[in-house]
Amino acid sequence: SDEAFTPRVRPRDKFGKLPPLMKEWVPQDGPAKDAPLGVSRGSMHGQSQMLVDSPEAHKSGAIITPKDGCLRHCVMHPTCPRRILWDTSSTVMVFYDVFFIPFVLAGFQVPGLEAWFLRADWFTACFWTIDLVCSFLMGFHSEGVVEMRPEKIARNYARGWFSFDLIVVLLDWMFLAQ
């Protein structure tokens, strides 16, 4: 039926008026001048408006990003297509590691596939090494905002998964060096 394709709209009150938007949802006049960093709303591709970094600006969905610095162009938003593709690839690599490493450690070999497994092991070791570096430039959600400042991302990663990731990558390379 045609009702299934009718877009949803905001509900109106009994007098036909739309309820007012929350003040946090209404765009500000323009970018802040002389602010070292800002909060961006809406777009992930740098076309969004910059707001002053203030407690009022730290609302759900806000994106905190620096206005200067060469690394700011390299930071990936947590929901951008590149990041989703990267995370999907990471999931595939985890499945490979979880299922095939136990077979290799147990000495199980498939005749004719040794070369394929060796290439796959090299590929996953390279992938995890690149992931280790890229993780310092992957934005994250924190207290209702999206953190895109490289120094905050690096600090968050260093305090979190970095040690584990480094040990796993070093073990991968040590295993391949044998």
Side-chain angles (χ1 to χ4, degrees):
S1 78
D2 290 335
E3 292 177 11
F5 299 105
T6 305
R8 295 184 59 129
V9 294
R10 291 189 337 185
R12 297 176 185 271
D13 67 9
K14 62 183 178 180
F15 301 109
K17 291 181 158 184
L18 291 172
L21 291 173
M22 294 176 62
K23 69 176 186 166
E24 293 86 11
W25 295 352
V26 178
Q28 301 294 323
D29 292 340
K33 305 271 193 264
D34 304 326
L37 57 96
V39 175
S40 167
R41 291 185 190 261
S43 173
M44 296 181 280
H45 305 291
Q47 300 168 352
S48 57
Q49 191 173 1
M50 299 300 289
L51 303 173
V52 174
D53 183 26
S54 66
E56 294 82 29
H58 286 222
K59 302 297 179 190
S60 181
I63 303 171
I64 302 176
T65 181
K67 287 188 176 182
D68 55 0
C70 60
L71 289 178
R72 69 186 169 100
H73 299 292
C74 301
V75 174
M76 278 195 272
H77 190 280
T79 60
C80 77
R82 285 185 309 161
R83 174 72 183 268
I84 293 170
L85 179 64
W86 188 263
D87 289 344
T88 304
S89 301
S90 297
T91 303
V92 171
M93 297 300 154
V94 166
F95 280 125
Y96 172 81
D97 286 345
V98 165
F99 289 115
F100 289 106
I101 287 178
F103 287 113
V104 172
L105 292 177
F108 180 76
Q109 294 182 358
V110 178
L113 290 180
E114 293 89 2
W116 184 88
F117 281 117
L118 183 61
R119 282 194 299 271
D121 289 342
W122 274 93
F123 183 80
T124 57
C126 291
F127 179 87
W128 291 125
T129 303
I130 293 168
D131 182 66
L132 183 77
V133 174
C134 288
S135 292
F136 282 103
L137 296 170
M138 292 189 181
F140 65 96
H141 295 275
S142 174
E143 298 179 14
V145 297
V146 178
E147 185 61 66
M148 298 288 285
R149 293 177 285 186
E151 63 278 358
K152 299 276 187 180
I153 295 169
R155 186 176 304 122
N156 182 63
Y157 181 55
R159 291 179 178 167
W161 284 95
F162 175 71
S163 300
F164 176 79
D165 289 350
L166 182 63
I167 290 169
V168 169
V169 167
L170 290 174
L171 287 173
D172 267 350
W173 286 109
M174 287 177 16
F175 178 72
L176 285 172
Q178 293 178 352

